[in-house]
Amino acid sequence: PLLDTRRGKDLMGTFLSDIVLQVLSFVAENERTNIRQRQAEGIAAAKARGVRFGRPPVPLPENFCQIHMEWRSKRITLKEAANACSMPVGTFYAKAVRLENEH
C-alpha cells in the first residue's frame, strides 16, 4: 500500500513512497554486492581446488603437424589446410600460431 501511487498523491504520500523505494533500492543493491562477493569467493575456492572453467580443449587432429608444415611451406592455402583438418580457418590459424610459439 505504501507504493501505491494511485492514491495519496499529497506531499506526505509521495515522500513515504520515495523513502520506501530508496530503502528497497538499497537492500537490492546490497544483496547484489553480497552475491558478487560470494560468487568471487566460490570461484577462487574452486580454482584453488584445481577446477578448470570453460569448454575442454578439443585435441588436434593427427594430421595437424603435417598439414601445418605444408601450409607454412606454401604448398597449400590456409583454407585448404583448415578444410583438411576439418576446422574453421580462424581456429586452424590460432592453433598453428600456438603450436609455433610452443616450439
Side-chain angles (χ1 to χ4, degrees), residues 18-78:
D18 288 347
I19 287 177
V20 170
L21 283 174
Q22 288 295 325
V23 168
L24 291 175
S25 173
F26 170 76
V27 169
E29 186 175 338
N30 197 27
E31 183 59 25
R32 181 68 187 135
T33 302
N34 290 339
I35 288 171
R36 284 183 167 269
Q37 181 180 356
R38 289 191 301 264
Q39 183 180 26
E41 290 170 359
I43 290 171
K47 284 185 178 182
R49 289 191 315 267
V51 174
R52 297 202 41 170
F53 293 93
R55 292 176 66 174
V58 177
L60 293 176
E62 292 180 16
N63 61 349
F64 185 81
C65 290
Q66 174 65 32
I67 292 174
H68 174 259
M69 288 190 303
E70 289 180 21
W71 170 62
R72 280 299 183 195
S73 63
K74 301 204 186 294
R75 284 184 251 149
I76 60 174
T77 66
L78 177 62

Side-chain angles (χ1 to χ4, degrees), residues 61 63 67 76-89 92:
N63 61 349
I67 292 174
I76 60 174
T77 66
L78 177 62
K79 188 170 186 175
E80 290 171 342
N83 286 339
C85 289
S86 301
M87 59 178 65
V89 172
F92 178 86

